[in-house]
Amino acid sequence: MSTWNEVGERVYVHRYAWLALTIGAVVGDDGVLIIDTGDSHRQARELIDDLATLTDLPVRWVVNTHYHWDHCWGNALFRTAELWGHENTRLELLEHGEDARRRVIGLLPVEHHDAIRAVEIVPPEHTFSDRVSIDIGRAVDLRYHGPGHTNSDISVAVDEVLFAGDLVEEAGPPAFGDAYPLDWPAALDGLLGYVHGPVVPGHGRPVDRAFVEHQRADIAVTVELARAGFEGHVPMSEVDVEDAPFSVEVSRSVVERTYAQLTGDL
């Protein structure tokens, strides 16, 4: 059964069990803006069905919080809407979308392969570099805070509600596979400047300012462990992460990406 939770005036979130993905819907005067579209046409169809339980207004705007497959590979089913995202989201999907498809198929159980193969990767046509506001009968502000989880993460502010994409994670630890750890704390500092109420993560339940501040501190502590190892000429695999705030596996990924940044290999 479809469950939308209202986190602000005519601002809703829906948490999907698959990947704990959280999708947003903002109801405007004559249409709906949605935040992220899911991982495939299959999930986008489910989203369309769920939206029908919320409103009979059409989807007129779509915002991708970043380029990762689980957030924007449902775009093709919303072609009649304005597709918005950071300029790097468009570039990454155009230049590396098919490589990402091959990686995703290699990671997922076989029962998901057909859905991923069927995806038409459609990048956002409306892009920006720093900030833009979309008028849907109310202002929806999109902001880029610099590299963090990827090079394309944006926040989406509607009144007191802030959608943070995967710059903030609640359902699990932050993911660092494509991350810029040296820059991520500063990106969260920028995001925190616009926190005036609930913060909706890309995966999981809405959180508050304290949660974001705590996660920002955990990232910064782990990055400094990596930086100290690099500056002390410690081999990457030997950096001691036993006391890091994250699991050893996650902390190792922070170290790997931090070393890559410090050596200019990203």
mmCIF file of all heavy atoms in Angstrom, residues 160-195:
data_model
loop_
_atom_site.group_PDB
_atom_site.id
_atom_site.type_symbol
_atom_site.label_atom_id
_atom_site.label_comp_id
_atom_site.label_asym_id
_atom_site.label_seq_id
_atom_site.Cartn_x
_atom_site.Cartn_y
_atom_site.Cartn_z
ATOM 1 N N GLU A 160 10.548 25.023 4.835
ATOM 2 C CA GLU A 160 11.440 24.596 5.921
ATOM 3 C C GLU A 160 12.065 23.224 5.680
ATOM 4 O O GLU A 160 12.899 22.780 6.480
ATOM 5 C CB GLU A 160 10.660 24.557 7.245
ATOM 6 C CG GLU A 160 10.017 25.879 7.634
ATOM 7 C CD GLU A 160 11.045 26.965 7.867
ATOM 8 O OE1 GLU A 160 11.976 26.736 8.665
ATOM 9 O OE2 GLU A 160 10.937 28.034 7.242
ATOM 10 N N VAL A 161 11.694 22.558 4.605
ATOM 11 C CA VAL A 161 12.164 21.191 4.353
ATOM 12 C C VAL A 161 13.356 21.225 3.400
ATOM 13 O O VAL A 161 13.324 21.927 2.383
ATOM 14 C CB VAL A 161 11.040 20.323 3.754
ATOM 15 C CG1 VAL A 161 11.537 18.896 3.517
ATOM 16 C CG2 VAL A 161 9.820 20.321 4.670
ATOM 17 N N LEU A 162 14.386 20.450 3.726
ATOM 18 C CA LEU A 162 15.577 20.381 2.886
ATOM 19 C C LEU A 162 15.830 18.931 2.485
ATOM 20 O O LEU A 162 16.048 18.071 3.342
ATOM 21 C CB LEU A 162 16.791 20.938 3.620
ATOM 22 C CG LEU A 162 18.060 21.095 2.786
ATOM 23 C CD1 LEU A 162 17.895 22.218 1.757
ATOM 24 C CD2 LEU A 162 19.258 21.379 3.675
ATOM 25 N N PHE A 163 15.795 18.666 1.174
ATOM 26 C CA PHE A 163 16.167 17.355 0.652
ATOM 27 C C PHE A 163 17.670 17.375 0.383
ATOM 28 O O PHE A 163 18.166 18.238 -0.353
ATOM 29 C CB PHE A 163 15.397 17.057 -0.623
ATOM 30 C CG PHE A 163 13.932 16.805 -0.404
ATOM 31 C CD1 PHE A 163 13.034 17.853 -0.307
ATOM 32 C CD2 PHE A 163 13.457 15.499 -0.279
ATOM 33 C CE1 PHE A 163 11.676 17.625 -0.097
ATOM 34 C CE2 PHE A 163 12.102 15.258 -0.067
ATOM 35 C CZ PHE A 163 11.217 16.318 0.025
ATOM 36 N N ALA A 164 18.390 16.430 0.970
ATOM 37 C CA ALA A 164 19.852 16.441 0.920
ATOM 38 C C ALA A 164 20.442 15.405 -0.014
ATOM 39 O O ALA A 164 21.663 15.365 -0.185
ATOM 40 C CB ALA A 164 20.417 16.225 2.334
ATOM 41 N N GLY A 165 19.605 14.558 -0.643
ATOM 42 C CA GLY A 165 20.175 13.495 -1.457
ATOM 43 C C GLY A 165 21.117 12.654 -0.619
ATOM 44 O O GLY A 165 20.954 12.507 0.598
ATOM 45 N N ASP A 166 22.153 12.128 -1.241
ATOM 46 C CA ASP A 166 23.072 11.249 -0.520
ATOM 47 C C ASP A 166 24.222 11.993 0.152
ATOM 48 O O ASP A 166 25.166 11.362 0.633
ATOM 49 C CB ASP A 166 23.619 10.173 -1.467
ATOM 50 C CG ASP A 166 22.583 9.108 -1.784
ATOM 51 O OD1 ASP A 166 21.441 9.226 -1.301
ATOM 52 O OD2 ASP A 166 22.909 8.168 -2.537
ATOM 53 N N LEU A 167 24.142 13.322 0.212
ATOM 54 C CA LEU A 167 25.066 14.047 1.082
ATOM 55 C C LEU A 167 24.827 13.669 2.539
ATOM 56 O O LEU A 167 25.724 13.794 3.374
ATOM 57 C CB LEU A 167 24.902 15.558 0.907
ATOM 58 C CG LEU A 167 25.530 16.168 -0.334
ATOM 59 C CD1 LEU A 167 25.106 17.621 -0.489
ATOM 60 C CD2 LEU A 167 27.062 16.072 -0.278
ATOM 61 N N VAL A 168 23.614 13.221 2.829
ATOM 62 C CA VAL A 168 23.248 12.758 4.169
ATOM 63 C C VAL A 168 22.599 11.386 4.027
ATOM 64 O O VAL A 168 21.751 11.180 3.158
ATOM 65 C CB VAL A 168 22.260 13.734 4.850
ATOM 66 C CG1 VAL A 168 21.834 13.205 6.215
ATOM 67 C CG2 VAL A 168 22.879 15.122 4.981
ATOM 68 N N GLU A 169 23.006 10.449 4.874
ATOM 69 C CA GLU A 169 22.451 9.099 4.832
ATOM 70 C C GLU A 169 21.924 8.724 6.209
ATOM 71 O O GLU A 169 22.596 8.950 7.229
ATOM 72 C CB GLU A 169 23.512 8.084 4.415
ATOM 73 C CG GLU A 169 24.013 8.274 2.989
ATOM 74 C CD GLU A 169 23.059 7.741 1.940
ATOM 75 O OE1 GLU A 169 21.855 7.602 2.237
ATOM 76 O OE2 GLU A 169 23.517 7.453 0.825
ATOM 77 N N GLU A 170 20.723 8.148 6.250
ATOM 78 C CA GLU A 170 20.155 7.685 7.514
ATOM 79 C C GLU A 170 20.020 6.167 7.554
ATOM 80 O O GLU A 170 20.186 5.553 8.603
ATOM 81 C CB GLU A 170 18.779 8.330 7.730
ATOM 82 C CG GLU A 170 18.168 8.077 9.113
ATOM 83 C CD GLU A 170 17.425 6.753 9.225
ATOM 84 O OE1 GLU A 170 16.930 6.231 8.208
ATOM 85 O OE2 GLU A 170 17.320 6.229 10.360
ATOM 86 N N ALA A 171 19.740 5.544 6.414
ATOM 87 C CA ALA A 171 19.497 4.101 6.388
ATOM 88 C C ALA A 171 20.780 3.287 6.519
ATOM 89 O O ALA A 171 20.727 2.080 6.754
ATOM 90 C CB ALA A 171 18.772 3.721 5.099
ATOM 91 N N GLY A 172 21.905 3.921 6.376
ATOM 92 C CA GLY A 172 23.195 3.258 6.474
ATOM 93 C C GLY A 172 24.274 4.313 6.497
ATOM 94 O O GLY A 172 23.985 5.517 6.503
ATOM 95 N N PRO A 173 25.537 3.908 6.488
ATOM 96 C CA PRO A 173 26.613 4.895 6.490
ATOM 97 C C PRO A 173 26.715 5.599 5.142
ATOM 98 O O PRO A 173 26.211 5.098 4.127
ATOM 99 C CB PRO A 173 27.861 4.047 6.754
ATOM 100 C CG PRO A 173 27.510 2.701 6.202
ATOM 101 C CD PRO A 173 26.045 2.524 6.481
ATOM 102 N N PRO A 174 27.346 6.757 5.106
ATOM 103 C CA PRO A 174 27.591 7.406 3.811
ATOM 104 C C PRO A 174 28.386 6.485 2.894
ATOM 105 O O PRO A 174 29.175 5.655 3.343
ATOM 106 C CB PRO A 174 28.413 8.651 4.190
ATOM 107 C CG PRO A 174 28.111 8.889 5.633
ATOM 108 C CD PRO A 174 27.882 7.536 6.233
ATOM 109 N N ALA A 175 28.159 6.647 1.584
ATOM 110 C CA ALA A 175 28.848 5.829 0.580
ATOM 111 C C ALA A 175 29.946 6.659 -0.068
ATOM 112 O O ALA A 175 29.700 7.781 -0.522
ATOM 113 C CB ALA A 175 27.862 5.330 -0.461
ATOM 114 N N PHE A 176 31.145 6.098 -0.146
ATOM 115 C CA PHE A 176 32.314 6.850 -0.588
ATOM 116 C C PHE A 176 32.893 6.376 -1.915
ATOM 117 O O PHE A 176 33.965 6.824 -2.308
ATOM 118 C CB PHE A 176 33.401 6.791 0.493
ATOM 119 C CG PHE A 176 33.042 7.522 1.746
ATOM 120 C CD1 PHE A 176 32.359 6.886 2.767
ATOM 121 C CD2 PHE A 176 33.364 8.857 1.904
ATOM 122 C CE1 PHE A 176 32.010 7.566 3.928
ATOM 123 C CE2 PHE A 176 33.029 9.556 3.057
ATOM 124 C CZ PHE A 176 32.348 8.905 4.074
ATOM 125 N N GLY A 177 32.178 5.511 -2.633
ATOM 126 C CA GLY A 177 32.741 4.948 -3.849
ATOM 127 C C GLY A 177 33.132 5.964 -4.895
ATOM 128 O O GLY A 177 34.141 5.814 -5.585
ATOM 129 N N ASP A 178 32.328 7.023 -5.058
ATOM 130 C CA ASP A 178 32.614 8.091 -6.018
ATOM 131 C C ASP A 178 32.889 9.408 -5.303
ATOM 132 O O ASP A 178 32.805 10.480 -5.910
ATOM 133 C CB ASP A 178 31.424 8.310 -6.964
ATOM 134 C CG ASP A 178 31.143 7.105 -7.844
ATOM 135 O OD1 ASP A 178 32.061 6.293 -8.034
ATOM 136 O OD2 ASP A 178 30.010 6.988 -8.332
ATOM 137 N N ALA A 179 33.205 9.331 -4.017
ATOM 138 C CA ALA A 179 33.197 10.523 -3.174
ATOM 139 C C ALA A 179 34.475 11.346 -3.277
ATOM 140 O O ALA A 179 35.515 10.894 -3.757
ATOM 141 C CB ALA A 179 32.959 10.123 -1.726
ATOM 142 N N TYR A 180 34.337 12.558 -2.750
ATOM 143 C CA TYR A 180 35.440 13.502 -2.590
ATOM 144 C C TYR A 180 35.526 13.810 -1.096
ATOM 145 O O TYR A 180 35.039 14.843 -0.634
ATOM 146 C CB TYR A 180 35.191 14.760 -3.419
ATOM 147 C CG TYR A 180 35.178 14.485 -4.904
ATOM 148 C CD1 TYR A 180 34.076 13.895 -5.510
ATOM 149 C CD2 TYR A 180 36.292 14.780 -5.702
ATOM 150 C CE1 TYR A 180 34.069 13.615 -6.879
ATOM 151 C CE2 TYR A 180 36.296 14.503 -7.059
ATOM 152 C CZ TYR A 180 35.182 13.914 -7.636
ATOM 153 O OH TYR A 180 35.174 13.624 -8.982
ATOM 154 N N PRO A 181 36.140 12.898 -0.327
ATOM 155 C CA PRO A 181 36.089 13.019 1.135
ATOM 156 C C PRO A 181 36.683 14.318 1.667
ATOM 157 O O PRO A 181 36.182 14.860 2.664
ATOM 158 C CB PRO A 181 36.913 11.809 1.613
ATOM 159 C CG PRO A 181 36.878 10.847 0.481
ATOM 160 C CD PRO A 181 36.836 11.682 -0.758
ATOM 161 N N LEU A 182 37.740 14.812 1.031
ATOM 162 C CA LEU A 182 38.340 16.057 1.505
ATOM 163 C C LEU A 182 37.363 17.219 1.452
ATOM 164 O O LEU A 182 37.457 18.163 2.241
ATOM 165 C CB LEU A 182 39.589 16.395 0.679
ATOM 166 C CG LEU A 182 40.787 15.459 0.831
ATOM 167 C CD1 LEU A 182 41.852 15.803 -0.205
ATOM 168 C CD2 LEU A 182 41.363 15.552 2.241
ATOM 169 N N ASP A 183 36.416 17.165 0.524
ATOM 170 C CA ASP A 183 35.477 18.266 0.319
ATOM 171 C C ASP A 183 34.124 18.037 0.980
ATOM 172 O O ASP A 183 33.346 18.990 1.128
ATOM 173 C CB ASP A 183 35.256 18.470 -1.189
ATOM 174 C CG ASP A 183 36.549 18.738 -1.924
ATOM 175 O OD1 ASP A 183 37.152 19.780 -1.661
ATOM 176 O OD2 ASP A 183 36.949 17.898 -2.748
ATOM 177 N N TRP A 184 33.831 16.814 1.341
ATOM 178 C CA TRP A 184 32.494 16.492 1.830
ATOM 179 C C TRP A 184 32.115 17.282 3.086
ATOM 180 O O TRP A 184 31.000 17.824 3.174
ATOM 181 C CB TRP A 184 32.381 14.990 2.077
ATOM 182 C CG TRP A 184 30.978 14.445 2.151
ATOM 183 C CD1 TRP A 184 29.849 15.107 2.548
ATOM 184 C CD2 TRP A 184 30.572 13.111 1.819
ATOM 185 N NE1 TRP A 184 28.761 14.262 2.498
ATOM 186 C CE2 TRP A 184 29.173 13.040 2.051
ATOM 187 C CE3 TRP A 184 31.229 11.978 1.361
ATOM 188 C CZ2 TRP A 184 28.438 11.869 1.846
ATOM 189 C CZ3 TRP A 184 30.511 10.814 1.148
ATOM 190 C CH2 TRP A 184 29.127 10.764 1.386
ATOM 191 N N PRO A 185 33.007 17.417 4.101
ATOM 192 C CA PRO A 185 32.613 18.220 5.265
ATOM 193 C C PRO A 185 32.247 19.654 4.907
ATOM 194 O O PRO A 185 31.278 20.206 5.448
ATOM 195 C CB PRO A 185 33.854 18.154 6.165
ATOM 196 C CG PRO A 185 34.500 16.852 5.805
ATOM 197 C CD PRO A 185 34.309 16.740 4.316
ATOM 198 N N ALA A 186 32.985 20.258 3.982
ATOM 199 C CA ALA A 186 32.665 21.632 3.579
ATOM 200 C C ALA A 186 31.325 21.690 2.855
ATOM 201 O O ALA A 186 30.561 22.660 3.017
ATOM 202 C CB ALA A 186 33.771 22.182 2.683
ATOM 203 N N ALA A 187 31.020 20.665 2.060
ATOM 204 C CA ALA A 187 29.714 20.621 1.398
ATOM 205 C C ALA A 187 28.600 20.565 2.434
ATOM 206 O O ALA A 187 27.559 21.234 2.292
ATOM 207 C CB ALA A 187 29.640 19.419 0.461
ATOM 208 N N LEU A 188 28.806 19.794 3.491
ATOM 209 C CA LEU A 188 27.794 19.722 4.541
ATOM 210 C C LEU A 188 27.720 21.024 5.339
ATOM 211 O O LEU A 188 26.634 21.404 5.796
ATOM 212 C CB LEU A 188 28.085 18.540 5.463
ATOM 213 C CG LEU A 188 27.789 17.173 4.851
ATOM 214 C CD1 LEU A 188 28.228 16.053 5.787
ATOM 215 C CD2 LEU A 188 26.312 17.025 4.530
ATOM 216 N N ASP A 189 28.844 21.716 5.487
ATOM 217 C CA ASP A 189 28.789 23.034 6.121
ATOM 218 C C ASP A 189 27.890 23.967 5.316
ATOM 219 O O ASP A 189 27.083 24.718 5.881
ATOM 220 C CB ASP A 189 30.194 23.636 6.224
ATOM 221 C CG ASP A 189 31.057 22.947 7.268
ATOM 222 O OD1 ASP A 189 30.498 22.301 8.179
ATOM 223 O OD2 ASP A 189 32.298 23.048 7.165
ATOM 224 N N GLY A 190 28.037 23.922 4.000
ATOM 225 C CA GLY A 190 27.191 24.740 3.152
ATOM 226 C C GLY A 190 25.731 24.343 3.261
ATOM 227 O O GLY A 190 24.844 25.193 3.353
ATOM 228 N N LEU A 191 25.487 23.046 3.265
ATOM 229 C CA LEU A 191 24.116 22.559 3.380
ATOM 230 C C LEU A 191 23.499 22.976 4.710
ATOM 231 O O LEU A 191 22.328 23.385 4.775
ATOM 232 C CB LEU A 191 24.112 21.045 3.223
ATOM 233 C CG LEU A 191 22.758 20.331 3.269
ATOM 234 C CD1 LEU A 191 22.756 19.162 2.295
ATOM 235 C CD2 LEU A 191 22.449 19.815 4.679
ATOM 236 N N LEU A 192 24.276 22.897 5.787
ATOM 237 C CA LEU A 192 23.759 23.234 7.113
ATOM 238 C C LEU A 192 23.293 24.685 7.194
ATOM 239 O O LEU A 192 22.432 25.015 8.010
ATOM 240 C CB LEU A 192 24.820 22.961 8.174
ATOM 241 C CG LEU A 192 24.964 21.495 8.590
ATOM 242 C CD1 LEU A 192 26.288 21.247 9.286
ATOM 243 C CD2 LEU A 192 23.796 21.071 9.484
ATOM 244 N N GLY A 193 23.835 25.538 6.337
ATOM 245 C CA GLY A 193 23.397 26.925 6.313
ATOM 246 C C GLY A 193 21.956 27.100 5.875
ATOM 247 O O GLY A 193 21.372 28.175 6.063
ATOM 248 N N TYR A 194 21.376 26.047 5.305
ATOM 249 C CA TYR A 194 19.997 26.113 4.815
ATOM 250 C C TYR A 194 19.077 25.147 5.562
ATOM 251 O O TYR A 194 17.957 24.906 5.126
ATOM 252 C CB TYR A 194 19.971 25.821 3.317
ATOM 253 C CG TYR A 194 20.760 26.844 2.532
ATOM 254 C CD1 TYR A 194 22.070 26.584 2.118
ATOM 255 C CD2 TYR A 194 20.209 28.084 2.240
ATOM 256 C CE1 TYR A 194 22.799 27.535 1.426
ATOM 257 C CE2 TYR A 194 20.933 29.047 1.546
ATOM 258 C CZ TYR A 194 22.223 28.760 1.147
ATOM 259 O OH TYR A 194 22.954 29.712 0.468
ATOM 260 N N VAL A 195 19.552 24.610 6.680
ATOM 261 C CA VAL A 195 18.728 23.715 7.482
ATOM 262 C C VAL A 195 17.878 24.536 8.443
ATOM 263 O O VAL A 195 18.402 25.193 9.341
ATOM 264 C CB VAL A 195 19.588 22.697 8.254
ATOM 265 C CG1 VAL A 195 18.716 21.882 9.214
ATOM 266 C CG2 VAL A 195 20.309 21.768 7.294
#
